[in-house]
Amino acid sequence: MSGTVSMPFNLKIILNQGMAALQSGRWAEAEGHFRNLISRTPKAPEPVFYLGLALLSGGKPDEAASVATQLIRKHGEHPAALNLLGSAQAASGRTANAEKSLRRALALAPDLGDAAENLARLLIETGRPGEAIEILRSLLGREPNRVASHHLLGRAMGDSGGYDDAVTAYHAGLRLAPDFHPALNDLGLLHLRTGKAEEALACFEQLLRLAPNDLVAANNRGAALRTLERYEEAEAQYRSALERFPDSPQVNLNLGKLLAHKRRVVEAAPLLELSNCLEGRWWDALLMPPQYESEAERLEWRTRLEAKLRAVADETMALPAAQLPSLGEITNLDMYYLAYHGENDRDINATLRAAQTRVAQALHGFSEQVPHQAARPRIRVGFISQSFFGHVIYRMTEQWITSLNPNEFEVFAFHTGRYHDEFTNIIAGKVEHFLATRRHGSTANAARLISEAELDVIIYLETGMHFMTDQLAMLRLAPVQCSAFTHPITTGMPTIDYFISGELMEPSGADEHYTEKLIRLPGLGFSMARPEVEGAPLSPAEPDRPGPRLFCAQSLFKMLPHRDHLFPRIVKAVGDCRIDFISHTGHLTEIFGKRMERVFTDHGLEPGRHFRILPGVSPLEFQGLIKAADVFLDTPDWSGGHTTMEALACCTPIAAMQGRFLRGNVSAGILRAAGLDELVAADEEAYVALAARLALDADYRRQVSETMHSNGPAVFDSPAPARGLAEFLRSVVRTA
C-alpha cells in the first residue's frame, strides 16, 4: 500500500527498519518502529498499514482490526486495507465480517491474489470448500505459481471428498516449493485420514528432515506410526517430542490415547489430564483395565468411571451443535471391559451412547427417523458386521442370514471389517447383496451406501466391539434398527430399537437390562452348524498329572477376583487334581496368575500343583484340550458361547451356573436346550458341588456325555430361531 505523503530520509530509515523486522518475524520490534513512524507522520497511510500487519502477525488480531478500520475511515476503502481488515477479523473469529471485508476488497480489485487466498482460506475453515475451489482455480489460472494457493486447493479438495484431486493440488505446490511445510503436513494428514498411513509417514518424515524440531510433524509422525500399529515406535516418537515440549497438550493427548489403547491405564491417566481438552477428558473417563488384582481395585475403577463419565457426558450434551463435529474421535471409544464386571450397565451405557450419538449425528447426519417404505414385494433386511469371516460371531449368526426365504426377504450383508477369508467368500455367495464397505473408506461413505439400499430393517451383529460398526449404529439408516446377542449387553444407543436374543438365554427380569425392546427368539435364539471337532488331536495324558482333568477355557478377563475362591474350593472338594487355564496377552496372565497363587495358598493348597496357565494354542489344540478334559468349567459372570457349543460337540461334561444377565447365562441356555438343566448350578455352593461330582463320578460323566451325544443334534442346526427371526421381521414391517 503506497501513501501520498513523502518522508524525509531519516524517517525512511525507520520505515526500512520496521520492514526488516516485519520480514524477519520480529513482530514487537516492527510494531515499535511503525508506531514511532506514525507519531512523526500522522497523515501517512503506509506506517498504519504495516502496523496492522505487525499486530496481526504478532497474534493481536483485535488490535490489527482496529488499526485497519481507522486506516479505512481516514484514507478510504483501499483493497489492501480491506484485505488486512478481513484477515484480522477472521483471526479473531468474526467470520461473517471477515467475509464481507474480503469480498469488498475483491470487488474493488478482482485480481488481488492475497485477498482471494484469504477468502478461500476462510471458506475452507467455515465448511464451504466448494466455494473455495472456484476462487482458487480462478486465481491459479491467472497466477499458476502461487504455492499457498495450490496448498489451499488441496485442502478444499480433500474436504470435499476429492482425494485424488487433493493429492494432485498438493503435489503441484510442492513441485514449486518442495520444502513448503504446510503442504507437506496437510498432504500427510490427508493420507492418514484416507487410510494411507505409509504415505502419510513419508510426508511427516520428510518434514522432520527439513525441520527436526517441528512439534507438529513429530506429533503427526507418531499418529502415522500408531495407525500402522508400530506402537513401540509411536510411543518413542511421542516421548521424544515431550522431552522438548513437555507441556504440549496434543502430544500428551496422543501418547495418553496410545497407552490407553495398550491398556496401560495407570500411565495413561496423567498424560490425558495434561491434554486439557474435552477429548482427553473422555479418554481419561473411560480408562478401564482388563484385569484386576483385587475386588477393591475393580470397584475403585468402576466408581471412577461412573463419576467421570457423567461429567464429560454432561459437558458434551451442553455444547452447541456447531462444536460437536470436532469431537468425532470420541465416537471411537467404548467401555468393552466394563461389561465383564457382571453388573447391570444399562444406565452407564445409555449415558455414554447418548453423548456419542449426538456427536456422530452432528458429524455424519442421519439424525432423523427414517420413514417406513410403502409396501414392497419383499422385505429388505441388512446385516452389518465386521465379522464376516471365520469369526465366532459369523458362525453363530450365519443361519439367521442364509435361512431367510429369498421370495420374501431381500438380504444385504455389509462387511465393515478389513479381514477376508474363505468364510467371507461363502457368505458373499449366499446373500443377494454383499458389500465390503471398508473398501469405500470412511464411516460417512459406508453410511451413504447403507442408506441408499433403502432397508426396512437393519441388524447390527456386534455393537460395542468395533468403532465403525458402532458409529453406523448411532445413525438412523433404516426405519427399524436392531442389535444382536453376540455382544450380550445393551447398546445403550437411542437409535437401536430392538435387542434380539433367545428365550432360553435370558434370565427372569431381563427386560430391565436393556434400553432396547428385548426380543426373545425361540430356543437359544440362534443355531449354528456343529463344530467339527473330530479332527482335533486329543491332548495327551500326563503321567504325573494329579487326579481328574479340569479345564476352564474362557478368557482370563472374564474371571473377577470375587470368584477366585471357587477354583481352590473345587480342588479341595475333588481331592488331588489340577485346573488348566489358557493364557492371554499383555499383563493379564501375570495378574491372574498372582491372584491364583494367592487364593490357592490361602486355601492351604500348593499353587504349582493345582492350577496351570497354558500358553496360547491353535484352534485344533484348543478343541483337543476340551476333548481331553473330564470337566469343562464355565465362568459364572460371562459364560462361554461358542466354546460351550464346542464342549457340547465334544461331549465333555460342563459345570455352569445360572447368570444374572444374558452374558452370564448363555451356557445355561445351551445346556437347557440339550436337556441338561441339572448342569446349571443355582449358586456358588451348587457350582462347586456340581464340578466336584462331575470330576469324581465317572459313571455320571458318562451319562452326561451320552445325553450330550443324543441331544446335541437338536441344539445344532435348529430351524426354530431362524423361523422366529423371520416372524419378527414380518411383524415390525407389517405393523409400520
Side-chain angles (χ1 to χ4, degrees):
M1 180 174 183
S2 59
T4 58
V5 179
S6 62
M7 289 186 187
F9 178 75
N10 63 322
L11 296 185
K12 286 185 178 179
I13 293 175
I14 298 174
L15 177 64
N16 291 336
Q17 289 173 334
M19 294 297 294
L22 189 64
Q23 292 165 3
S24 301
R26 305 193 306 274
W27 317 123
E29 181 184 335
E31 179 186 342
H33 286 305
F34 295 131
R35 288 193 186 279
N36 182 16
L37 199 56
I38 291 169
S39 68
R40 298 184 181 210
T41 58
K43 295 183 179 180
E46 271 185 319
V48 181
F49 175 77
Y50 290 122
L51 172 61
L53 280 181
L55 290 167
L56 179 60
S57 302
K60 300 177 180 179
D62 289 329
E63 292 182 49
S66 177
V67 167
T69 301
Q70 294 172 22
L71 179 63
I72 292 167
R73 286 174 180 166
K74 190 170 184 178
H75 297 281
E77 287 189 322
H78 192 284
L82 286 164
N83 178 50
L84 171 63
L85 176 60
S87 300
Q89 289 168 328
S92 60
R94 292 177 287 164
T95 55
N97 291 336
E99 181 177 348
K100 182 178 178 181
S101 298
L102 293 169
R103 289 195 183 279
R104 179 58 180 160
L106 287 170
L108 296 173
D111 293 338
L112 184 58
D114 289 349
E117 269 187 5
N118 288 331
L119 178 58
R121 183 178 291 104
L122 177 67
L123 292 169
I124 293 167
E125 291 172 354
T126 54
R128 295 148 66 189
E131 295 177 57
I133 289 171
E134 295 180 18
I135 292 169
L136 291 165
R137 280 178 168 164
S138 175
L139 174 58
L140 287 168
R142 300 190 306 272
E143 302 178 52
N145 293 330
R146 294 186 70 101
V147 174
S149 293
H150 286 290
H151 168 224
L152 289 172
L153 182 59
R155 285 181 58 188
M157 292 289 190
D159 289 352
S160 299
Y163 170 77
D164 292 333
D165 289 337
V167 171
T168 298
Y170 282 127
H171 281 301
L174 288 169
R175 280 194 296 272
L176 296 169
D179 60 349
F180 188 57
H181 292 199
L184 273 173
N185 184 70
D186 285 350
L187 176 58
L189 291 175
L190 175 67
H191 285 316
L192 199 57
R193 192 168 71 241
T194 52
K196 298 182 181 295
E198 290 284 2
E199 290 88 341
L201 182 62
C203 290
F204 302 135
E205 290 184 341
Q206 184 178 345
L207 258 177
L208 287 170
R209 285 191 293 271
L210 294 168
N213 293 321
D214 188 324
L215 176 62
V216 172
N219 183 53
N220 289 340
R221 179 176 183 267
L225 290 167
R226 187 184 70 225
T227 303
L228 291 166
E229 299 182 0
R230 291 161 59 178
Y231 298 122
E232 290 184 5
E233 293 175 76
E235 180 178 348
Q237 176 65 74
Y238 289 138
R239 292 197 184 279
S240 174
L242 286 176
E243 287 177 4
R244 298 191 302 275
F245 306 98
D247 298 325
S248 168
Q250 193 62 47
V251 181
N252 276 294
L253 172 65
N254 285 339
L255 179 56
K257 288 163 61 175
L258 173 64
L259 296 177
H261 174 73
K262 300 302 291 180
R263 299 296 169 184
R264 292 160 59 184
V265 294
V266 174
E267 296 174 75
L271 294 163
L272 293 169
E273 290 176 3
L274 286 170
S275 70
N276 195 31
C277 65
L278 182 52
E279 183 188 345
R281 290 192 287 280
W282 266 104
W283 277 86
D284 180 47
L286 300 187
L287 286 177
M288 178 69 60
Q291 189 62 278
Y292 304 93
E293 294 184 2
S294 67
E295 177 67 3
E297 183 189 23
R298 181 190 74 81
L299 291 172
E300 182 180 342
W301 278 100
R302 186 179 183 91
T303 302
R304 177 187 190 275
L305 182 145
E306 289 177 335
K308 293 202 169 202
L309 173 60
R310 281 194 298 270
V312 293
D314 288 347
E315 188 177 356
T316 302
M317 296 299 282
L319 286 176
Q323 294 181 25
L324 294 172
S326 66
L327 284 174
E329 285 285 321
I330 75 164
T331 62
N332 296 349
L333 299 174
D334 60 43
M335 299 185 296
Y336 181 78
Y337 287 107
L338 184 73
Y340 291 90
H341 284 205
E343 299 191 33
N344 190 345
D345 298 328
R346 170 181 166 154
D347 293 343
I348 299 177
N349 273 295
T351 299
L352 169 68
R353 297 307 193 178
Q356 288 182 317
T357 296
R358 186 166 184 251
V359 172
Q361 293 181 353
L363 191 63
H364 301 297
F366 300 105
S367 59
E368 300 297 324
Q369 179 67 46
V370 179
H372 287 269
Q373 296 285 332
R376 294 184 288 200
R378 294 188 296 167
I379 296 171
R380 291 188 179 183
V381 184
F383 293 89
I384 300 176
S385 175
Q386 289 207 349
S387 303
F388 286 128
F389 59 98
H391 194 281
V392 296
I393 287 175
Y394 166 70
R395 295 170 190 263
M396 296 176 79
T397 57
E398 186 263 345
Q399 292 188 25
W400 275 9
I401 303 167
T402 58
S403 296
L404 293 174
N405 185 344
N407 294 322
E408 188 178 2
F409 298 96
E410 185 177 358
V411 175
F412 296 71
F414 296 92
H415 184 27
T416 59
R418 67 177 68 176
Y419 299 110
H420 290 69
D421 62 12
E422 60 185 293
F423 294 95
T424 313
N425 296 332
I426 290 170
I427 191 66
K430 287 185 175 181
V431 298
E432 193 166 342
H433 308 279
F434 183 86
L435 292 91
T437 61
R438 181 61 71 96
R439 294 174 183 169
H440 296 272
S442 65
T443 299
N445 286 337
R448 177 181 53 79
L449 288 170
I450 296 166
S451 176
E452 288 173 354
E454 295 184 340
L455 301 170
D456 296 302
V457 184
I458 287 175
I459 299 175
Y460 290 96
L461 296 184
E462 75 277 83
T463 46
M465 295 182 67
H466 302 288
F467 75 86
M468 180 180 278
T469 304
D470 287 358
Q471 289 169 347
L472 292 169
M474 293 174 202
L475 310 179
R476 269 291 174 187
L477 303 174
V480 177
Q481 302 191 155
C482 314
S483 182
F485 70 94
T486 43
H487 187 53
I489 188 169
T490 182
T491 69
M493 297 177 185
T495 49
I496 301 297
D497 308 301
Y498 299 96
F499 189 95
I500 304 175
S501 185
E503 60 184 0
L504 289 178
M505 296 193 299
E506 290 292 346
S508 62
D511 297 84
E512 300 305 314
H513 306 160
Y514 299 94
T515 58
E516 309 85 0
K517 183 177 181 180
L518 177 61
I519 301 299
R520 298 172 176 85
L521 299 184
L524 291 174
F526 73 95
S527 58
M528 56 178 281
R530 179 181 179 275
E532 296 179 2
V533 298
E534 285 71 25
L538 191 67
S539 179
E542 304 166 55
D544 62 341
R545 180 189 178 100
R549 305 177 71 165
L550 289 80
F551 182 36
C552 186
Q554 303 306 320
S555 299
L556 299 184
F557 52 77
K558 292 184 177 182
M559 304 179 203
L560 295 173
H562 77 280
R563 301 289 194 188
D564 288 351
H565 68 96
L566 294 174
F567 300 115
R569 287 177 61 193
I570 290 170
V571 169
K572 292 183 80 169
V574 173
D576 200 15
C577 67
R578 184 173 70 201
I579 302 175
D580 284 342
F581 303 91
I582 293 289
S583 66
H584 207 278
T585 56
H587 298 297
L588 273 72
T589 300
E590 179 184 352
I591 294 172
F592 181 75
K594 288 180 178 178
R595 277 178 23 208
M596 288 295 99
E597 288 177 3
R598 184 167 59 247
V599 74
F600 272 81
T601 300
D602 289 347
H603 279 76
L605 296 171
E606 182 183 344
R609 182 169 180 79
H610 296 295
F611 86 89
R612 180 176 63 167
I613 302 177
L614 301 170
V617 294
S618 70
L620 278 178
E621 291 171 330
F622 182 79
Q623 290 178 346
L625 287 167
I626 295 175
K627 288 169 70 173
D630 294 304
V631 184
F632 181 93
L633 296 175
D634 195 39
T635 40
D637 300 296
W638 190 298
S639 69
H642 190 270
T643 54
T644 303
M645 296 294 265
E646 288 179 300
L648 178 61
C650 292
C651 298
T652 299
I654 301 166
M657 195 166 92
Q658 174 71 38
R660 294 174 58 209
F661 306 100
L662 166 62
R663 55 196 185 274
N665 211 49
V666 177
S667 290
I670 293 170
L671 290 168
R672 287 175 174 134
L676 286 165
D677 302 55
E678 63 197 272
L679 299 186
V680 182
D683 53 31
E684 290 185 342
E685 295 294 328
Y687 177 77
V688 171
L690 172 63
R693 182 187 178 192
L694 287 169
L696 292 171
D697 190 337
D699 289 338
Y700 183 49
R701 287 201 306 273
R702 191 176 305 110
Q703 174 192 325
V704 168
S705 294
E706 289 172 356
T707 303
M708 288 178 152
H709 183 267
S710 60
N711 292 358
V715 180
F716 302 114
D717 294 314
S718 169
R723 286 200 298 263
L725 178 66
E727 184 54 41
F728 162 70
L729 294 172
R730 293 186 199 102
S731 70
V732 293
V733 173
R734 286 175 181 167
T735 58

